[in-house]
Amino acid sequence: MSNPKMENGAVWRLHHAGQEIARLTVTGGDFPWMHADVETLPGFEEFRSVFAEQEQAIDDEDHERSDACYEQIRKSLTMTFPDGEPVAEFWLHIHGDGTAGWRWHDEPFDLDEQ
């Protein structure tokens, strides 16, 4: 049985302060990662630099800087499933080429268990 959240064409939504700022249309996945094309909406621009810094930090293997970006993203943004329900936890990367990759979970990640 397939999961409609993960089907190609499903639209996940990114929000800031209750405003939808991006739509992520699923293009596939490589478990546990989901992949999507990103449609940015008004309000997204203020976060573009954080995602760019996160991508650069990952490329540079600067885990401390990458973690700081993740914390800023999670403090400021929320995500909803295609059915509108909130995503409890996610680790989202929005790339400069207009694509995204993310992991999600029904409960918050316990980052102390690494």
Side-chain angles (χ1 to χ4, degrees):
M1 183 171 179
S2 69
N3 184 335
K5 297 173 186 170
M6 302 171 73
E7 288 177 1
N8 286 357
V11 179
W12 296 51
R13 298 171 195 283
L14 191 64
H15 305 269
H16 171 64
Q19 176 186 351
E20 184 178 347
I21 63 167
R23 293 182 185 129
L24 311 173
T25 302
V26 174
T27 58
D30 183 17
F31 187 81
W33 289 93
M34 302 279 296
H35 303 287
D37 288 328
V38 180
E39 175 190 356
T40 60
L41 301 168
F44 180 80
E45 278 309 310
E46 88 177 78
F47 299 100
R48 187 179 300 276
S49 63
V50 179
F51 286 108
E53 182 179 351
Q54 180 187 50
E55 189 170 23
Q56 187 61 54
I58 291 168
D59 288 347
D60 294 344
E61 297 184 11
D62 184 339
H63 304 293
E64 192 171 305
R65 199 170 92 210
S66 172
D67 288 349
C69 291
Y70 162 77
E71 289 172 16
Q72 187 175 350
I73 290 164
R74 287 298 290 127
K75 180 177 67 179
S76 303
L77 303 176
T78 59
M79 184 181 252
T80 55
F81 292 113
D83 65 5
E85 290 295 311
V87 178
E89 186 64 75
F90 61 91
W91 189 7
L92 174 64
H93 304 283
I94 294 183
H95 309 292
D97 66 359
T99 63
W102 72 95
R103 296 173 62 162
W104 60 276
H105 201 270
D106 290 329
E107 298 176 12
F109 294 145
D110 184 351
L111 298 178
D112 297 329
E113 289 184 5
Q114 294 181 11

